Amino acid sequence: MNETTNPKIVIAIDGHSSCGKSTVAKELAKALGYIYLDSGAMYRAVTLFALKNGLAANGQVNEPELIARLPEITIEFRLNPASRQNETYLNGENVEEEIRRLPVSTHVSPVATIREVREATVKQQQAMGKNKGIVMDGRDIGTAVFPEAELKIFMTASPEVRAQRRYDELIGKGQQVSFEEILHNVEERDRIDSGREVSPLRKADDALILDNSYLNRDEQLDWALQKAREVIRNLGVVNIE
Ligand code: CDP
């Protein structure tokens, strides 16, 4: 296999919360030698900034104040050499673990509806993808960030399956959560993400659907990798495996 010399493409993975987008995206990027970018981490980092600065609480966000303070926010991804994974930094501080906690999850969707927040993050995401060779996951990657992406995947699974996966993940990390609150959060984020005015979550017309309710990790990776290799092959390269 000689994939590093093949033309690089952009792979956009969108879909509902907690359906395993980041798992597929990370594994796909690793298999292809691509960069993985978690766009949701950027919305989560902005949300953490809001929470830490008293601009979000009890499900409410102080929009005008957050918009005014956006210039104070710097988000970066830095490679952790030990894990070989990118980690999210907010104003120089590693927040990778903190942004996955429930307080951020319960405020992130309202924050992500703010037009100015989206404009700033989308601009940064587009800059990160300009050289291609990237797998990005989120809600609007195939529709708004990279409408020209060579491969678009729309992932979904039932809310119960997704809540169970997220519950297992958080319990595994030692966090105190109940299945009911996770299910509620998953359903609430679906509702806000799909209903918002700016770049709502929707399947791009040319996206392929991956419902992984009954697929395991290896099966979903095989599926995605096969699609990616097909696209790369169709770009005119035969020497792919
Ligand atoms: O991991 P999970 O799919 O649950 O969520 P995430 O990718 O970390 O994204 C967190 C939240 O950020 C989503 O529920 C959306 O409200 C928002 N988001 C967005 O609006 N646009 C994106 N491209 C990515 C995330």
Side-chain angles (χ1 to χ4, degrees):
M1 216 187 314
N2 187 20
E3 286 174 337
T4 48
T5 56
N6 284 323
K8 302 230 180 254
I9 63 168
V10 171
I11 303 177
I13 305 186
D14 290 304
H16 295 102
S17 68
S18 312
C19 63
K21 294 183 299 292
S22 65
T23 305
V24 181
K26 267 183 216 161
E27 291 177 354
L28 197 53
K30 193 168 164 210
L32 295 169
Y34 280 18
I35 292 166
Y36 161 63
L37 195 124
D38 173 3
S39 70
M42 300 179 76
Y43 296 98
R44 286 176 178 271
V46 175
T47 305
L48 183 61
F49 176 90
L51 287 167
K52 282 188 163 174
N53 288 280
L55 307 176
N58 305 319
Q60 301 295 316
V61 180
N62 181 341
E63 271 195 39
E65 191 63 22
L66 179 58
I67 293 168
R69 295 189 61 182
L70 283 178
E72 288 174 40
I73 303 179
T74 303
I75 300 166
E76 297 157 280
F77 293 100
R78 297 190 200 159
L79 189 71
N80 176 332
S83 64
R84 310 276 322 140
Q85 305 270 349
N86 270 327
E87 293 181 339
T88 314
Y89 283 71
L90 169 63
N91 293 341
E93 187 192 345
N94 186 333
V95 293
E96 184 57 36
E97 204 259 335
E98 209 175 349
I99 58 169
R100 312 290 165 188
R101 291 180 171 269
L102 207 51
V104 171
S105 297
T106 51
H107 292 87
V108 63
S109 286
V111 167
T113 62
I114 303 172
R115 181 180 298 276
E116 289 79 356
V117 169
R118 302 204 72 83
E119 282 169 0
T121 44
V122 167
K123 212 164 137 196
Q124 197 175 342
Q125 289 154 12
Q126 288 171 334
M128 289 171 179
K130 75 175 188 318
N131 294 330
K132 303 202 177 201
I134 193 163
V135 184
M136 200 176 291
D137 70 347
R139 302 291 187 284
D140 60 341
I141 310 304
T143 52
V145 182
F146 296 118
E148 307 298 325
E150 288 85 354
L151 176 60
K152 299 179 187 177
I153 297 173
F154 188 85
M155 280 180 71
T156 191
S158 73
E160 289 73 18
V161 167
R162 291 186 277 131
Q164 187 66 49
R165 289 180 186 153
R166 182 52 55 100
Y167 175 77
D168 292 344
E169 184 188 332
L170 294 177
I171 291 291
K173 286 184 185 165
Q175 296 186 24
Q176 302 283 319
V177 289
S178 73
F179 176 78
E180 285 67 33
E181 64 181 335
I182 299 294
L183 179 61
H184 177 73
N185 176 250
V186 161
E187 290 177 335
E188 193 56 15
R189 281 201 286 142
D190 284 355
R191 191 182 62 75
I192 301 175
D193 293 348
S194 303
R196 71 179 172 223
E197 209 176 296
V198 196
S199 305
L201 168 65
R202 69 167 182 84
K203 182 189 141 333
D205 293 339
D206 51 351
L208 307 173
I209 294 182
L210 171 57
D211 182 335
N212 70 356
S213 299
Y214 303 103
L215 293 184
N216 67 29
R217 235 172 128 139
D218 288 344
E219 289 166 338
Q220 65 181 16
L221 175 64
D222 285 349
W223 183 93
L225 203 46
Q226 191 196 332
K227 301 291 175 204
R229 288 182 169 146
E230 260 168 44
V231 171
I232 297 170
R233 192 180 286 119
N234 288 342
L235 286 175
V237 176
V238 279
N239 177 25
I240 188 160
E241 51 197 356

